[in-house]
């Protein structure tokens, strides 16, 4: 029974491909070593999760007990680390120009005296906003600290003028904000940076590995042998050849899920089954599109070059690095040429947001369209794999 089963063309193609993977360093790296190594590196890079201890400089021109109390409160903020204390703004600016500090706090002279008089001194904050993440974190963190300091000073002034604590608090904060941060309440950057980068790297290896696995048959002139093995059935060729890679890349996706959900603690508020189905559909979609690229170019090197740009561009158009709603209409439409963009909607829906399962039907349907688009190239790639004139090209 087993020997008879081994004679089926599909089984012969699968067995042939497993042997090719085992004997090729390039295929071993693109399927197993590369993805796992990149996953672990990204996990290590963002293991802290939350931005802490950004270097800032304090210029204290007052040198009073009040200014020292303000500095202590700033140091208590986990975002900022008062690494330097400069005697003047000139020296503080030099530190910022050298990239040693990301923010400067200027405490004016006579701050303590103005506070005693009931006046409102001004504390200046200068932020290096070259890096929007660091600039935004310093701004929000120090604004909260300075706001707390200011509210405390006003509270003491109102109490000193005869108001009770309740009355003073209402004067300081007449309108309160009851803030509820949903889905990522701790501001964990790993929840969206790793969540974006790990799947992108999975798609890069999936797409380029699939292009190489099929394209090397054309380059080395073994496409005819492959077609003979499959009895010249292109569906058998593609299915049998890509099946081992589909299984391996899906296992890589399981490793990615372990990192995201177990190591980093990304919540699953929806259906894990839908997440797994969407990951499998994303993998086979990129494999089908790899066939399309090879059919269009009939050139392994060109397909790999175009595929590198195609897969990496997906992150920029996904809305993680820059909100998609702020992009021009053409860019928002262009984002839908990447299966990753559609898959990300499903993943966020079922992991962080916990949306109802039916909300994923439309994105799952779009992933199916990506796969069918690649299938349209099957007749064309069959012609190239049976035509010796298409063999031997880089």
């Amino acid at each position: 029974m087993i020997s008879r089963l081994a004679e089926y063309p599909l089984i012969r193609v699968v067995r042939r491909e497993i042997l090719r993977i085992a004997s090729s360093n390039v295929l071993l790296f693109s399927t197993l070593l590369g993805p796992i190594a990149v996953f672990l590196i990204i996990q290590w890079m963002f293991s802290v999760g939350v931005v802490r201890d950004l270097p800032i400089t304090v210029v204290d021109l007052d040198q009073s007990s009040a200014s020292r109390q303000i500095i202590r409160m700033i140091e208590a903020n986990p975002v900022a680390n008062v690494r330097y204390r400069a005697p003047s703004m000139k020296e503080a600016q030099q530190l910022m120009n050298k990239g040693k500090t990301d923010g400067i706090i200027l405490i004016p002279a006579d701050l303590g005296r103005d506070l005693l008089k009931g006046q409102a001194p001004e504390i200046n904050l200068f932020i290096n906003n070259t890096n929007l993440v660091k600039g935004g974190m310093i701004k929000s963190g120090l604004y909260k600290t300075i706001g707390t300091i200011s509210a405390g000073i006003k509270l003491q002034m109102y109490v000193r003028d005869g108001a009770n604590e309740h009355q003073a608090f209402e004067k300081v904060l007449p309108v309160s904000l009851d803030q509820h941060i949903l889905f990522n309440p701790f501001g964990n950057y790993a929840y969206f940076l790793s969540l974006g980068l790990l799947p992108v790297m999975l798609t890069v290896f999936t797409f380029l590995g699939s292009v190489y696995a099929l394209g090397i048959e054309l380059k080395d002139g073994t496409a005819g042998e492959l077609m003979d093995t499959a009895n010249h059935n292109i569906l058998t060729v593609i299915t049998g050849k890509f099946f081992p890679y589909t299984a391996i890349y899906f296992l890589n996706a399981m490793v990615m899920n372990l990192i995201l959900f177990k190591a980093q603690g990304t919540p699953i508020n929806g259906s894990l089954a839908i997440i797994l189905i969407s990951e499998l559909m994303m993998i086979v979609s990129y494999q089908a599109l790899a066939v399309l690229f090879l059919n269009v170019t009939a050139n392994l090197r060109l397909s790999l070059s175009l595929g590198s740009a195609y897969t990496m561009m997906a992150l920029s158009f996904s809305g993680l690095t820059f909100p998609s709603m702020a992009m021009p209409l053409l860019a928002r439409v262009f984002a839908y040429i990447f299966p990753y963009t559609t898959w990300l909607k499903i993943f966020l829906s079922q992991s962080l947001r916990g949306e109802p399962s039916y909300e994923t039907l439309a994105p799952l349907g779009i992933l199916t369209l990506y796969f069918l688009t690649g299938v349209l190239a099957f007749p064309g790639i069959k012609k190239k794999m049976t035509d010796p004139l298409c063999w031997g090209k880089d």
Side-chain angles (χ1 to χ4, degrees), residues 10-24:
L10 179 63
I11 302 300
R12 293 203 305 266
V13 175
V14 171
R15 183 176 58 192
R16 176 181 181 275
E17 198 58 35
I18 291 174
L19 294 175
R20 287 174 64 86
I21 294 173
S23 61
S24 170

Side-chain angles (χ1 to χ4, degrees), residues 38-111:
V38 170
F39 290 169
L40 294 176
I41 291 172
I42 293 175
Q43 156 63 10
W44 169 69
M45 286 173 57
F46 300 111
S47 57
V48 175
V50 180
V51 177
R52 290 284 187 268
D53 296 328
L54 296 174
I56 65 170
T57 300
V58 171
V59 180
D60 185 2
L61 301 180
D62 187 50
Q63 299 293 329
S64 66
S65 59
S67 66
R68 287 191 290 272
Q69 176 64 25
I70 290 173
I71 294 172
R72 283 194 293 270
M73 292 186 70
I74 292 172
E75 289 177 328
N77 190 312
V79 173
N81 175 18
V82 181
R83 190 169 297 177
Y84 304 100
R85 301 197 184 204
S88 66
M89 271 299 297
K90 182 178 179 181
E91 293 189 20
Q93 288 176 336
Q94 289 176 349
L95 289 170
M96 182 172 282
N97 292 337
K98 292 178 181 179
K100 294 183 177 181
T101 186
D102 293 311
I104 300 172
I105 295 177
L106 175 61
I107 299 177
D110 302 327
L111 175 135

Side-chain angles (χ1 to χ4, degrees), residues 65-323:
S65 59
S67 66
R68 287 191 290 272
Q69 176 64 25
I70 290 173
I71 294 172
R72 283 194 293 270
M73 292 186 70
I74 292 172
E75 289 177 328
N77 190 312
V79 173
N81 175 18
V82 181
R83 190 169 297 177
Y84 304 100
R85 301 197 184 204
S88 66
M89 271 299 297
K90 182 178 179 181
E91 293 189 20
Q93 288 176 336
Q94 289 176 349
L95 289 170
M96 182 172 282
N97 292 337
K98 292 178 181 179
K100 294 183 177 181
T101 186
D102 293 311
I104 300 172
I105 295 177
L106 175 61
I107 299 177
D110 302 327
L111 175 135
R113 187 185 65 185
D114 290 344
L115 289 176
L116 292 174
K117 290 181 178 180
Q119 298 177 355
E122 184 179 84
I123 297 177
N124 293 307
L125 173 62
F126 302 87
I127 300 173
N128 178 8
N129 212 35
T130 303
N131 186 309
L132 293 177
V133 172
K134 293 195 293 184
M137 292 295 294
I138 291 176
K139 181 179 177 180
S140 62
L142 294 186
Y143 269 25
K144 289 179 181 178
T145 300
I146 299 300
T148 302
I149 294 170
S150 178
I153 293 171
K154 289 180 180 179
L155 191 66
Q156 292 177 0
M157 291 172 58
Y158 288 130
V159 171
R160 187 180 59 190
D161 291 341
N164 59 45
E165 289 190 3
H166 181 71
Q167 292 171 332
F169 186 80
E170 287 185 343
K171 290 182 179 181
V172 171
L173 196 64
V175 178
S176 62
L177 177 65
D178 187 13
Q179 181 174 264
H180 300 272
I181 301 176
L182 305 177
F183 312 133
N184 188 4
F186 304 108
N188 192 323
Y189 276 82
Y191 277 13
F192 78 93
L193 288 177
S194 295
L195 187 151
L197 288 174
L198 289 176
V200 161
M201 298 314 300
L202 176 64
T203 63
V204 168
F205 281 103
T206 298
F207 188 86
L208 298 184
S210 300
V211 167
Y212 181 84
L214 187 60
I216 198 65
E217 302 276 8
L218 293 171
K219 180 179 180 297
D220 291 347
T222 58
E225 174 196 328
L226 175 60
M227 293 297 295
D228 291 339
T229 305
N231 287 349
H232 292 265
N233 186 318
I234 190 60
L235 185 60
T236 301
V237 168
I238 301 299
T239 304
K241 186 167 187 65
F242 280 167
F243 178 79
Y245 299 97
T246 305
I248 294 172
Y249 289 129
F250 189 66
L251 288 176
N252 289 335
M254 297 304 98
V255 175
M256 177 187 75
N257 290 333
L258 286 174
I259 292 174
L260 290 174
F261 297 130
K262 295 298 183 181
Q264 295 187 351
T266 304
I268 304 176
N269 295 319
S271 170
L272 177 60
I274 291 178
I275 291 176
L276 298 180
I277 291 171
S278 68
E279 288 172 346
L280 181 59
M281 292 181 66
M282 179 176 68
I283 289 169
V284 297
S285 294
Y286 272 104
Q287 289 182 308
L289 291 175
V291 178
L292 176 64
F293 270 59
L294 280 169
N295 180 51
V296 172
T297 64
N299 185 294
L300 176 60
R301 182 179 298 177
L302 181 57
S303 293
L304 290 173
S305 299
L306 293 176
S308 300
Y310 172 70
T311 49
M312 292 305 297
M313 284 174 62
L315 183 63
S316 300
F317 286 89
S318 67
L320 283 177
T321 55
F322 185 78

